[in-house]
Amino acid sequence: MTNGPRSGLTAVSTALLAMSRHLEVRDVLKTIVVSARELLDAEYAALGVPDDHGGFAQFVVDGVSDEEWKAIGPLPRQHGILAAMLQEATPQRLADVRQDPRFEGWPDAHPDMSDFLGMPVADGEDILGALFLANKKRDTTRDTPGERRTGCGFTADDEQLLAVLAQHAAIALTNARLYERSRELTIAGERARLAHELHDAVSQKLFSLRLTAQAAAALVDRDPARAKGELHEVARLAAEAADELRAAVVELRPAGLDEDGLVATLRTHVKVLDRAHAAHVTFAAHGVRALPAAQEEALLRVAQEALHNALRHSGASAVEVTLTRLGHGAALRVRDDGRGFDPSGVRRAGRHLGLVSMRDRADGVGGRLTVDSEPGKGTAIEMEVPGG
Ligand SMILES: Nc1ncnc2c1ncn2[C@@H]1O[C@H](COP(=O)(O)OP(=O)(O)OP(=O)(O)O)[C@@H](O)[C@H]1O
Ligand SMILES: [Mg+2]
């Protein structure tokens, strides 16, 4: 290796390290391919990243003009030497690629290639792609006239240099994969949060809204004045649902908690439900102090879902909510005298989000949730939080 390629490699290496942090993977690959062709004096260079369907997800070339590229036609498939490099993960240095038994020909407009140097792009055992060069540019002034040079123009030094560039490509591809994966995870997490938020807050408000609207419809002929009152309630609930929706989307705390605190917010909530439902719904607080915001929010959400379940599923005539001081923290209890159920029989997956969501919320603030229920015995949901 002469000084030229070595200092050239240092420059390329530095540039790649700087750029791979914030550039599209394709641009990084392109830089690698261009550098490989220049540093190793090749006529052609390419890097292919296979897809799962026998083709290439990415195929970056250098040394081929746009017109030539178009004339060649569709992207290559994984066959011949390319396929071999993707399967065997060994470097290939060939004097004449066309003479290799694995060679399967190429399209008419494909440039003619003879000496060939191919390097797998691998992350450990995992082959991510292949980087390859063709046609070492020869210093023809040193050829004896009439004598054709034989042997591969690419040297063992070239092979080493290409291995370093292939490692850079592997890093760029691995980073891109990790980035994509972390983005997917973030999106999935965000979807789960929104689903819970919509379930816990918005769908409950809409449920109350529906009941109140039904009450108004039933009253409108008989008692227009009361129907009017119910309709005001409909408007108020609709406005609250809209607020909750906005809060869920921008991840705000439930309306009311900041201004009024947990006890007042719970008391109001219980009052509204008591009015809207046949069951008698009551609330009592015992010595509760202000708690860390996240714990108050979790308690409120769990109380809302437990109440909602009691009113929707249990047929209870009475539902009691109590909030009691417990050391630095607090304990919430929502108890109904309804039909009860077998908690172990509720499938975790699928459409039932409520119990899962309550547990997640308790876990999320270092708290504990217990579901105490049995058919015929009513249900008690308890949640303890540690406080600040
Ligand atoms: N207080 C209760 N009384 C009787 N059955 C209940 C009570 N709470 C929950 N259940 C039963 O447990 C099941 C699961 O409740 P969960 O809150 O997880 O889902 P859901 O209320 O059916 O649907 P979602 O809450 O997702 O709208 C309910 O479908 C119901 O059969
Ligand atoms: Mg529910």
Side-chain angles (χ1 to χ4, degrees), residues 200-367:
D200 291 357
V202 183
S203 70
Q204 294 181 11
K205 282 269 150 43
L206 293 176
F207 185 74
S208 303
L209 200 151
R210 210 171 81 201
L211 286 181
T212 313
Q214 281 165 357
L219 285 168
V220 75
D221 293 324
R222 221 162 8 101
D223 191 344
R226 269 185 66 201
K228 199 169 169 186
E230 294 294 322
L231 284 173
H232 282 303
E233 185 67 9
V234 167
R236 198 183 64 75
L237 285 168
E240 277 185 22
D243 282 348
E244 294 277 12
L245 190 58
R246 208 169 303 125
V249 171
V250 299
E251 204 169 358
L252 293 175
R253 276 159 47 80
L257 261 190
D258 280 327
E259 300 97 79
D260 307 330
L262 177 61
V263 171
T265 307
L266 260 179
R267 181 171 289 126
T268 312
H269 188 68
V270 165
K271 229 180 256 169
V272 170
L273 293 177
D274 188 43
R275 281 196 62 228
H277 295 264
H280 191 45
V281 191
T282 57
F283 174 71
H286 306 288
V288 183
R289 299 191 195 159
L291 297 162
Q295 293 181 30
E296 291 204 339
E297 180 177 343
L299 283 169
L300 178 65
R301 292 308 193 198
V302 167
Q304 286 175 326
E305 171 60 12
L307 277 162
H308 188 59
N309 277 351
L311 294 167
R312 194 155 59 129
H313 303 302
S314 83
S317 58
V319 186
E320 282 171 20
V321 182
T322 52
L323 190 65
T324 312
R325 182 168 157 194
L326 186 76
H328 294 289
L332 166 81
R333 184 177 158 88
V334 179
R335 149 116 207 117
D336 69 61
D337 64 354
R339 68 176 59 93
F341 70 108
D342 174 11
S344 64
V346 177
R347 285 191 43 218
R348 270 188 71 89
R351 298 191 316 112
H352 303 296
L353 268 181
L355 291 169
V356 178
S357 167
M358 286 197 276
R359 231 172 259 291
D360 284 354
R361 290 211 186 255
D363 288 350
V365 295

Side-chain angles (χ1 to χ4, degrees), residues 26 49-51 55-59 75:
R26 201 181 165 79
V49 178
D51 61 21
F56 285 91
Q58 310 223 38
F59 202 86
L75 278 184

Side-chain angles (χ1 to χ4, degrees), residues 141-163:
T141 55
R142 283 204 254 142
D143 279 0
T144 324
E147 191 191 9
R148 224 181 132 254
R149 289 218 338 218
T150 53
C152 184
F154 294 109
T155 63
D157 278 349
D158 289 343
E159 194 176 313
Q160 273 183 19
L161 199 55
L162 197 63

